[in-house]
């Protein structure tokens, strides 16, 4: 049966749910279509770290976007009911980056310089101070860099809570509904075709993560979004075994209040395969126990994998499609979907309302030409 809406959103990951809440708060009749379940793809599998992994190495427009969203995140959460905020477990736990060799020293020196240049708090610790801060670390370290302002959230909970907030504000979620195409007239999209009927809408927002490229291909859009698998190991230890988030090269530890510690993550070109592999788990455990041997007796409590939506130039596709009226893209956030969800939602709401977003969207425009051979990092 056909339904009408002001806006239809494709994808109920954290970006789609945040967009739906923002639009519904502004009184837009919003329908969210999700082929599976709410927040069960990359948004569920992520770690919930509210900072880019290697911020100093990011393209300047992406670094700016991340910092802007990081600055509004806590205020954004305050719009939620107190009980929901508590369940999300937003915590400024800080991040420690240990230094073991000359490569680590170069990396932290670059990041420290970037942080100081941008007025963000950062502190150098010697080996004794680093071990006092994190006894689980290897005594072989030379020192560490402390980022005291880095926060985290329970990402799968936040996604669900944003969907509930959007529903309370009037948004409709239709799960188990697969998009099969777009409703089109020359030069314009009027909604979405699904396996359960058409949804007519004045605006269509594609926020379908790694699946966005396939959805948009019939429109002739070269949106190069591909899946990059990330495997995670969940450890169970005593609370405060790990006190802060720890980042060592590509591996990170994220401590939760209940003593669980997330160990992640791999970066694999595996298509849409979400298998957890012996090689992936072995690599994660081996490398993590080298820099944090204090976790060697922690129990393995869970294993999973998710598919990050990567783009060739590491920049998300964010904005209107100039050649097709009524179509907005909000996809390709790669490792930063949790962090960028609040700002992305506000940008999309501005575009729908005809307002000029506070962020320059030209680097993220959907029709930009990208180098499809470039790998993300």
């Amino acid at each position: 049966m056909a339904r009408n809406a002001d806006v239809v959103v494709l994808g109920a990951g954290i970006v789609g749910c945040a967009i739906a809440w923002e639009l519904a708060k502004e009184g837009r009749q919003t329908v969210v279509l999700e082929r599976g379940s709410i927040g069960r793809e990359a948004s569920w599998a992520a770690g919930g770290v509210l900072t880019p992994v290697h911020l100093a190495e990011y393209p300047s427009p992406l670094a700016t976007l991340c910092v802007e969203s990081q600055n509004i995140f806590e205020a954004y959460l305050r719009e939620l009911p107190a009980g929901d905020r508590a369940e999300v477990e937003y915590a400024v736990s800080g991040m420690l980056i240990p230094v073991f060799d000359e490569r680590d020293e170069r990396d932290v020196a670059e990041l420290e310089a970037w942080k100081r240049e941008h007025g963000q708090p950062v502190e150098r610790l010697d080996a004794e101070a680093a071990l006092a801060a994190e006894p689980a670390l290897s005594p072989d370290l030379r020192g560490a860099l402390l980022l005291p302002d880095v926060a985290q959230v329970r990402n799968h909970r936040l996604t669900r809570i944003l969907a509930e907030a959007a529903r309370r504000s009037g948004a409709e979620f239709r799960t188990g509904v697969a998009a099969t195409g777009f409703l089109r007239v020359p030069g314009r999209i009027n909604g979405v075709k699904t396996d359960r009927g058409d949804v007519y809408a004045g605006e269509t927002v594609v926020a379908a993560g790694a699946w966005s490229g396939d959805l948009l291909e019939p429109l002739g859009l070269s949106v190069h979004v591909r899946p990059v698998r990330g495997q995670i190991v969940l450890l169970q230890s005593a609370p405060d075994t790990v006190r802060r988030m720890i980042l060592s090269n590509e591996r990170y530890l994220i401590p939760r209040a209940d003593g669980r510690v997330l160990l992640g993550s791999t970066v694999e070109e595996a298509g849409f395969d979400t298998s957890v592999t012996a090689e992936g788990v072995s690599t994660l455990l081996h490398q993590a126990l080298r820099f944090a041997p204090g976790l060697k007796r922690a129990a393995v409590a869970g294993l999973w994998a998710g598919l990050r939506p990567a783009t060739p130039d590491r920049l998300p596709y964010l904005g209107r499609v100039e050649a097709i009226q009524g179509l907005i893209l909000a996809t390709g956030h790669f490792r930063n979907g949790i962090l960028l969800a609040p700002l992305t939602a506000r940008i999309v709401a501005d575009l729908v309302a005809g307002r000029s977003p506070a962020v320059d969207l030209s680097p993220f425009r959907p029709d930009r030409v990208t180098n499809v051979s470039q790998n993300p990092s």
Side-chain angles (χ1 to χ4, degrees):
M1 182 175 66
R3 294 172 181 258
N4 294 323
D6 295 326
V7 185
V8 59
V9 179
L10 288 178
I14 193 167
V15 171
C17 291
I19 290 169
W21 185 36
E22 201 71 26
L23 293 171
K25 284 189 296 183
E26 295 193 358
R28 310 283 176 189
Q29 186 178 3
T30 304
V31 175
V32 182
L33 304 178
E34 169 57 51
R35 65 182 183 86
S37 302
I38 293 172
R40 290 297 298 182
E41 297 293 348
S43 302
W44 181 86
V49 181
L50 299 182
T51 190
V53 175
H54 298 294
L55 185 58
E57 300 174 8
Y58 273 37
S60 179
L62 180 57
T64 299
L65 200 70
C66 289
V67 171
E68 289 294 323
S69 202
Q70 186 177 17
N71 289 341
I72 68 171
F73 212 101
E74 187 172 4
Y76 179 78
L77 293 180
R78 284 199 294 269
E79 298 181 43
L80 295 168
D84 288 347
R85 294 199 303 272
E87 188 176 353
V88 166
E89 289 187 17
Y90 174 85
V92 184
S93 52
M95 176 177 282
L96 203 67
I97 304 175
V99 175
F100 291 99
D101 54 32
E102 292 302 323
R103 175 189 170 184
D104 292 341
E105 180 61 45
R106 291 193 298 271
D107 289 345
V108 299
E110 181 182 14
L111 179 57
E112 181 182 15
W114 192 97
K115 287 280 188 177
R116 295 191 186 282
E117 179 183 350
H118 291 81
Q120 298 184 10
V122 62
E123 181 181 353
R124 278 288 191 129
L125 304 179
D126 61 20
E128 183 178 0
L131 287 171
E134 287 295 341
L137 286 172
S138 168
D140 295 333
L141 86 173
R142 300 180 181 181
L145 190 70
L146 175 62
L147 312 178
D149 63 331
V150 177
Q152 61 165 291
V153 292
R154 298 295 286 266
N155 42 281
H156 65 291
R157 295 180 184 177
L158 177 58
T159 305
R160 173 178 52 79
I161 285 169
L162 290 176
E164 292 170 355
R167 281 198 184 104
R168 288 195 299 266
S169 298
E172 176 188 356
F173 283 76
R174 301 177 65 192
T175 58
V177 177
T180 59
F182 295 91
L183 300 169
R184 304 171 64 180
V185 296
R188 182 170 186 85
I189 296 295
N190 284 334
V192 179
K193 299 177 182 179
T194 83
D195 57 357
R196 298 193 183 182
D198 298 340
V199 181
Y200 292 91
E203 301 277 6
T204 297
V205 180
V206 176
W211 290 265
S212 298
D214 289 343
L215 286 170
L216 293 164
E217 186 176 358
L219 297 177
L221 294 176
S222 298
V223 176
H224 302 290
V225 181
R226 72 184 191 283
V228 175
R229 183 170 67 190
Q231 299 185 49
I232 287 183
V233 178
L234 178 65
L235 303 176
Q236 179 66 60
S237 188
D240 289 333
T241 300
V242 177
R243 302 168 185 174
R244 297 167 184 79
M245 291 174 281
I246 301 174
L247 173 66
S248 182
N249 296 318
E250 292 292 329
R251 309 303 177 213
Y252 55 76
L253 299 173
I254 306 171
R256 304 303 199 198
D258 59 5
R260 295 183 179 187
V261 180
L262 271 67
L263 162 57
S265 74
T266 61
V267 180
E268 303 170 86
E269 301 286 348
F272 286 93
D273 182 2
T274 56
S275 300
V276 175
T277 67
E279 180 183 24
V281 172
S282 174
T283 298
L284 289 172
L285 288 171
H286 175 72
Q287 294 182 354
L289 293 181
R290 286 182 61 190
F291 69 81
L295 284 170
K296 62 184 178 182
R297 292 186 175 85
V300 175
L303 306 166
W304 63 80
L307 302 176
R308 312 176 185 94
T311 66
D313 57 7
R314 297 190 286 178
L315 304 178
Y317 293 102
L318 186 54
R320 288 194 175 278
V321 177
E322 293 298 328
I324 306 175
Q325 294 181 35
L327 183 60
I328 297 171
L329 303 193
T331 189
H333 293 76
F334 192 41
R335 286 180 155 181
N336 300 305
I338 308 300
L339 171 61
L340 291 175
L343 185 58
T344 298
R346 292 187 179 181
I347 289 170
V348 171
D350 285 340
L351 293 173
V352 170
R355 301 185 295 259
S356 296
V359 176
D360 176 17
L361 296 184
S362 58
F364 313 104
R365 65 186 187 276
D367 61 347
R368 70 184 185 272
V369 177
T370 59
N371 174 11
V372 297
S373 65
Q374 184 175 343
N375 292 322
S377 61

